[in-house]
Amino acid sequence: IFTGTLDPGENEAILIHTFMADDEIRLHLTGPQPATFYLASMPNGTDSDGIQVNANEDKTITVSDFGVTDYHANRYLTAINSSAETVHYHVELY
């Protein structure tokens, strides 16, 4: 379980992990605005499909939802808060 805060406009690599396509990730976001998550090949990268999580939403996804093909290279789960409000995240790996 990984938890943290994203300040307004912040881009943060929140964890580094080698995933498999069918691994599940539960994303929960609290705060007034959405955030977008990426499975990137570098810290703070955005070289995958973005998964948006709305404010006060729980979303369970599979790693294949990010649309990457090289799971050994795309190891950085990155969260981006594009809003002017602080949000909090809670990430669980299954």
Side-chain angles (χ1 to χ4, degrees):
I1 296 174
F2 300 85
T3 60
T5 300
L6 294 170
D7 292 328
E10 185 173 14
N11 174 340
E12 179 181 355
I14 58 176
L15 67 94
I16 303 168
H17 184 76
T18 301
F19 293 96
M20 301 298 290
D22 60 350
D23 288 346
E24 289 188 340
I25 301 173
R26 181 173 176 249
L27 304 169
H28 176 77
L29 196 69
T30 55
Q33 300 294 327
T36 305
F37 292 82
Y38 295 88
L39 189 59
S41 62
M42 65 191 88
N44 306 331
T46 58
D47 57 333
S48 74
D49 294 340
I51 306 290
Q52 182 171 309
V53 180
N54 294 318
N56 303 309
E57 178 182 27
D58 282 315
K59 184 179 273 191
T60 300
I61 63 167
T62 59
V63 171
S64 63
D65 293 337
F66 288 108
V68 299
T69 57
D70 187 350
Y71 296 103
H72 292 287
N74 290 65
R75 300 178 46 221
Y76 299 89
L77 184 63
T78 298
I80 297 178
N81 176 9
S82 299
S83 76
E85 305 285 338
T86 299
V87 297
H88 305 278
Y89 63 82
H90 179 103
V91 175
E92 291 182 54
L93 306 180
Y94 291 99

